[in-house]
Each structure stands twice: as C-alpha cells, then as structure tokens.
Amino acid sequence: MGYAGGDHQDPTYRDIGDQTECFQVEFDPAVISYAELVDMVIAENGPPDGQYANLVLAHDSEQLAIAQERAQALAEERGKPATARIGLLKRFWPAEDYHQKYYLRGDRTLVGQLQAMYGDDEIALRESTLAMRLNGYASGGG
C-alpha cells in the first residue's frame, strides 16, 4: 500500500496532495501477463482523479503502450472511454506502517505470530508474501 501518480513529495494519508492511494504488483509473467493485470484494473469503473482514482502506472514505455492499448480496446468494446488514468510511474511512496496489512493487524493472534518472526521490522512485514496472503484471508478475500 502506498501513494503514487502525482508530484506531491512525501505524501501521507492526511497530506496526500495530488497522489493516489495504490499498491504495486509484483507478478510472474509466466503465470499472468501484464495485459491481463491491466484488464482487471481498467474493467472497474472507478473515479479518474483523486485519492481513490482508478490508476495504472507503468514502469516503462513497453508497459505504458500495453496499458494504453488495453484501455482503447475496452473503450471500443464498451462504446465509452475507460475511466482508469494511465501513465508512467514517477515514484512509489510506501504508506505509513499502520496502513500496511490493515486487515491482518486486526487479528491479534496472526500479528503476534508474525511479530515473533519479524520482530519490529515493519519493512519485512510489509514486503512479506506470507503477511500479504494472510491479510487477504483476514479481509475475507482469500
């Protein structure tokens, strides 16, 4: 969880500026393509601007071209433009620790077990695949 898509420096939840709340996705292209991930995001009709905008930020010009092509294809299919904002990632700012693994933090048993593994290392918790999956289960998403 973090902030990106704008120019405001050092954004926080209370001072987000022109940034958008978002998350970065690490993926294995042998399992799912970038185009498939983009399709999932742009299929949602979220707001185009603001803190909760529907946003796709590419890491390079190749990803940017794919995202733009997928948005155009969706627009032609639906007969109206996709609402997702698409651009190049300038910088990703991790959100405050209390925003990381939000649902997981509500489960004292699971958090206790993870603290036994990671101690006070919030970066390790934030980057942990195990914690990410447990957060999904704690949210009801599996």
Side-chain angles (χ1 to χ4, degrees), residues 31-68:
V31 176
I32 188 167
S33 71
Y34 181 73
E36 289 172 298
L37 290 170
V38 168
D39 286 346
M40 285 187 243
V41 174
I42 64 175
E44 298 295 321
N45 282 321
D49 294 308
Q51 183 172 354
Y52 303 114
N54 201 4
L55 177 68
V56 174
L57 295 172
H59 283 266
D60 56 39
S61 59
E62 182 181 338
Q63 285 185 348
L64 181 62
I66 291 168
Q68 290 169 332

Side-chain angles (χ1 to χ4, degrees), residues 11-31:
T12 65
Y13 185 75
R14 303 236 184 274
D15 183 20
I16 197 167
D18 63 346
Q19 303 284 1
T20 297
E21 283 190 37
C22 59
F23 55 90
Q24 282 190 321
V25 176
E26 291 182 24
F27 68 101
D28 180 348
V31 176

